[in-house]
Amino acid sequence: EIVDAGGLIALPGLVDLHTHLREPGGEEAETVATGSAAAALGGYTAVFAMPNTDPVADSPVVVEHVWRRGREVGLVDVHPVGAVTVGLGGERLAEMGMMAASPAGVRMFSDDGRCVNDPLVMRRALEYARALDAVVAQHAEDHRLTVGAQAHEGPVAARLGLAGWDPTAEESIVARDVMLAATAGARLHVCHLSTARSAAVLRWAREHYEVRVSAEVTPHHLLLTDTAVQDYDPVHKVNPPLRPAADTEALRRALADGTVDCVATDHAPHAVEAKDCEWSAARPGMLGLQTALPVVVTTMVATGLLDWRGVARVCSEAPARIAGLTDQGRPLTPGEPANLALVDPDAAWTVRGAELASRADNTPYEGMEMPVSVVHTMLRGRWTVRDGKVQDGEVQGHG
Ligand code: DOR
Ligand code: ZN
Ligand code: ZN
C-alpha cells in the first residue's frame, strides 16, 4: 500500500506513558477499543494503561486482561501499568513480580488508584521495582491536599480571595520520592509534573545525588492556565490542577532544556454524568490522545522552544526509553516493520468533542483550532490510520 507522504512530516510512532483506558470497570467512559482508536488517530503506536481501574490492576489477572484486549484490538501496543499496592488504603505491596512475569510483561508500576502517601510503602515498592528492573511512576497527588482543596476549598477559597490548590501537595512528594529512589537505587518517573518548583526539585536532585529520575508533563499543563478555571466549568477540573501562567512558562522551558523528559497525555475520559454536574461533584481529568501532538506544536514548536526533532524526542524517543521499550521510539532499521506517525504541518482542524474517537467527549479544547493533523499512523508496518481514518481494529471510532 503506497501513501503519498509529500509535504508530510514523519515522526517515530508516538508513545504515551500515561493513558486511562478505563477497562475494566469504567466502560461507559472508555474501553481498550475506543481508547486505542483515539491513540492511533493521535499518532500513537504504544500507550501505557494506568491501573486505576475497577478492579484496580494490581494482579496478573487484571493486567493480562488489559494486555490481551489491546492485542485483540490491534491498533496500538497496550502496555498495562501495574498498581504498586493492594488493600483498601493501599497499605500492602502488590505482587509486582507476578505482574512482571505475566504475559503482559509489566515493567512500569504506579501508585495510581491508591496514592502511596506512606513513605515506608513507597520505599518498599521502589526496592521491589529495582529488583525487577522496573520503573515506579509516581502521581505525586496527596489527595488529602489536592482533591480536598480542588473539590471543596477551591471555589470557596476563590470567593474569599484565598489561594487554593496547594502546589506543595505535589512538590513535597516529588522531593520525598527522589530521595527514596536515590536510597533504593531505583528508577522513579514523576507523572504530570505541574509546578516550577517541582522542576527545580528535579534539577537540584540530579545535581546533588545519583538518582535515576524521569518526568513527564501533560499537553494541558503546557497550554492551559488557572484562568481557565475561573468559571468552575468541570471540564477544566483535573489533577494536578491547572496552574498559574508562571508555572506553565516554567514547564515549557523545563521540557525544552530536558529537565522534564517527555510529554504524556493523562488522557482521562469521563462519562457525561461525571462532568455534567457542579464543580465539587465532578471527576477530575480531560481527554488528551487526539490533541496531544497539536498542543505540543502550539506550545513548543510555534514558540521556537523545540523543532520537529525535539518533538520526536519528547513524544516518542524519551518515553520509549523510560519504559524500556526496544521496538518503539527510534529510527528505522532497514527491513524492519515501522512504527510511524505522518503529520501534515499545514492542516489545521477544529476540535469537536463529539467527533473524537473516545467514548467520552470531555475535551478542554472544544471549538479550538489545532494547527497540525495526524494523517497516517503505522504500527509495525501496517496502517492503523490512513487519511485520518482508523483502519481495521474492532472499532472505527465515531470520528
Ligand atoms: O492523573 C489523573 N488521573 N488526573 C486526573 O485528573 C484524572 C485521572 C483519572 O481520571 O484517572
Ligand atoms: Zn495522576
Ligand atoms: Zn492519570
Side-chain angles (χ1 to χ4, degrees), residues 171 174 193 195-208 250 254 259:
E171 292 151 353
V174 174
L193 194 100
T195 79
R197 210 156 53 170
S198 292
V201 169
L202 288 188
R203 283 191 197 102
W204 176 84
R206 285 176 177 138
E207 195 179 318
H208 293 93
T259 303

Side-chain angles (χ1 to χ4, degrees), residues 14 16 19-23 29-49 65-80 265 267 269 287-290 356-360 374 377-380 382-386 388-398:
L14 309 186
D16 190 19
T19 309
H20 296 276
L21 293 177
R22 301 298 188 219
E23 197 176 332
E30 195 79 289
T31 63
V32 173
T34 57
S36 293
L41 288 165
Y44 287 89
T45 49
V47 300
F48 284 75
H65 169 78
V66 174
W67 174 78
R68 206 170 290 287
R69 284 298 298 139
R71 297 252 297 203
E72 285 162 8
V73 173
L75 290 172
V76 61
D77 286 350
V78 174
H79 298 283
T265 67
H267 177 80
L287 298 185
L289 285 169
Q290 281 179 258
L356 298 174
S358 260
R359 182 161 284 179
V374 173
T377 309
M378 176 177 273
L379 174 64
R380 269 185 293 284
R382 190 171 53 80
W383 296 112
T384 53
V385 170
R386 272 188 74 169
K389 297 268 179 300
V390 176
Q391 307 293 297
D392 307 311
E394 290 182 5
V395 267
Q396 303 293 316
H398 54 74

Side-chain angles (χ1 to χ4, degrees), residues 18-20 22 50 52 112 139 141 191-192 216 239 265-268:
H18 192 151
T19 309
H20 296 276
R22 301 298 188 219
M50 278 294 162
N52 62 337
D112 203 19
H139 278 249
E141 295 164 13
C191 296
H192 43 46
E216 68 187 35
N239 276 332
T265 67
D266 197 7
H267 177 80

Side-chain angles (χ1 to χ4, degrees), residues 95-106:
E95 268 303 338
M96 293 160 59
M98 303 278 281
M99 290 186 268
S102 90
V106 177

Side-chain angles (χ1 to χ4, degrees), residues 83-323:
V84 290
T85 51
V86 295
L88 277 182
E91 59 285 322
R92 277 188 304 120
L93 218 50
E95 268 303 338
M96 293 160 59
M98 303 278 281
M99 290 186 268
S102 90
V106 177
R107 285 294 177 278
M108 181 180 267
F109 295 91
S110 168
D111 66 325
D112 203 19
R114 300 187 191 97
C115 287
V116 178
N117 293 321
D118 179 338
L120 187 57
V121 174
M122 189 60 189
R123 163 109 170 243
R124 290 199 183 117
L126 285 162
E127 283 164 355
Y128 201 164
R130 192 197 135 179
L132 298 168
D133 194 26
V135 59
V136 175
Q138 168 59 272
H139 278 249
E141 295 164 13
D142 190 330
H143 289 295
R144 293 167 298 185
L145 293 168
T146 49
V147 169
Q150 212 174 184
H152 309 295
E153 296 158 33
V156 176
R159 242 176 277 133
L160 296 173
L162 301 171
W165 306 342
D166 186 350
T168 56
E170 169 178 315
E171 292 151 353
S172 57
I173 294 175
V174 174
R176 180 197 76 177
D177 285 0
V178 159
M179 299 300 130
L180 291 176
T183 303
R187 286 195 293 139
L188 176 73
H189 177 70
V190 180
C191 296
H192 43 46
L193 194 100
S194 74
T195 79
R197 210 156 53 170
S198 292
V201 169
L202 288 188
R203 283 191 197 102
W204 176 84
R206 285 176 177 138
E207 195 179 318
H208 293 93
Y209 293 88
E210 283 287 320
V211 56
R212 297 194 288 168
V213 61
S214 54
E216 68 187 35
V217 62
T218 69
H220 47 271
H221 288 108
L222 291 173
L223 181 64
L224 306 175
T225 67
D226 61 352
T227 57
V229 183
Q230 277 165 7
D231 56 2
Y232 291 100
D233 180 341
V235 81
H236 293 124
K237 183 170 172 177
V238 65
N239 276 332
L242 298 177
R243 302 292 191 187
D247 285 314
T248 308
E249 279 299 315
L251 293 172
R252 291 182 185 188
R253 284 196 304 276
L255 183 62
D257 74 18
T259 303
V260 170
D261 303 77
C262 68
V263 171
T265 67
D266 197 7
H267 177 80
H270 285 298
V272 174
E273 315 80 73
K275 284 292 191 183
D276 198 5
C277 55
E278 70 171 272
W279 177 272
S280 60
R283 301 269 306 275
M286 33 183 74
L287 298 185
L289 285 169
Q290 281 179 258
T291 47
L293 180 70
V295 171
V296 170
V297 170
T298 299
T299 55
M300 302 298 293
V301 180
T303 53
L305 288 164
L306 284 183
D307 57 14
W308 283 96
R309 189 77 213 48
V311 173
R313 177 165 50 84
V314 301
C315 293
S316 178
E317 294 164 13
R321 173 179 43 78
I322 291 163

